[in-house]
Amino acid sequence: MIRARLSVLLVCACSVLLATSQTALAQRNEPTELVDQQHCMFCHTSDAPFLAPSFHQIADRYRGVPNATAMLEHKLRMGGRAHWGDMAMPLPAERGGPLSAQDAHTLIEWVMSQ
Ligand code: HEC
């Protein structure tokens, strides 16, 4: 009897572990320093549209669109016309400082994983 209970407990513990490792795989870790430095969360949230589309909405819109990540990285660094409304995103200089291509890549990979 005790044995049976123990194995049920073990199975539960394992599935919890499995579930957490799967979410970790699906969603990239937030590049917190970059996100803070560029104030991304000043206008965006992960899942609720606020001053700007949420990162979930953005990821949904561009998932499966060819070259979307290259376009978004370029836009994040150089700006471009608005795709969601009238308000375009401010340039890096206005957000907190210059943004390298590598950093833009890291940020867009993270946004697209949400
Ligand atoms: C001052 C507010 C503000 C800040 C700060 C900001 N954004 Fe935005 N962002 C916007 C707005 C507004 C839009 C919608 C622009 C549009 O219609 O294309 C947007 C759109 C986007 C898009 C989609 C662009 C497109 O063409 O569809 C991405 C990706 C994005 N933001 C990522 C980021 C990241 C990453 C950061 C931090 C580096 C950031 N944003 C910081 C306001 C902001």
Side-chain angles (χ1 to χ4, degrees):
M1 195 56 199
I2 290 181
R3 227 161 226 246
R5 281 224 183 120
L6 259 183
S7 59
V8 166
L9 267 183
L10 269 180
V11 169
C12 291
C14 284
S15 42
V16 167
L17 272 182
L18 206 70
T20 20
S21 62
Q22 273 167 353
T23 19
L25 267 185
Q27 169 144 19
R28 307 255 172 154
N29 286 338
E30 178 184 297
T32 309
E33 248 177 58
L34 272 175
V35 171
D36 286 351
Q37 187 231 330
Q38 293 275 312
H39 302 103
C40 307
M41 300 332 239
F42 187 81
C43 302
H44 293 274
T45 73
S46 172
D47 50 13
F50 173 48
L51 295 172
S54 75
F55 286 148
H56 277 293
Q57 285 179 303
I58 294 171
D60 276 348
R61 175 167 174 170
Y62 293 110
R63 198 166 289 130
V65 177
N67 301 325
T69 53
M71 180 281 285
L72 291 173
E73 284 168 37
H74 186 269
K75 186 167 171 178
L76 205 55
R77 296 184 66 211
M78 311 297 177
R81 69 186 179 85
H83 283 156
W84 297 82
D86 304 329
M87 184 175 141
M89 190 160 35
L91 289 169
E94 298 154 24
R95 289 194 313 251
L99 188 66
S100 71
Q102 182 58 50
D103 288 349
H105 181 72
T106 307
L107 283 165
I108 294 300
E109 292 266 286
W110 166 67
V111 169
M112 291 303 293
S113 78
Q114 303 194 42

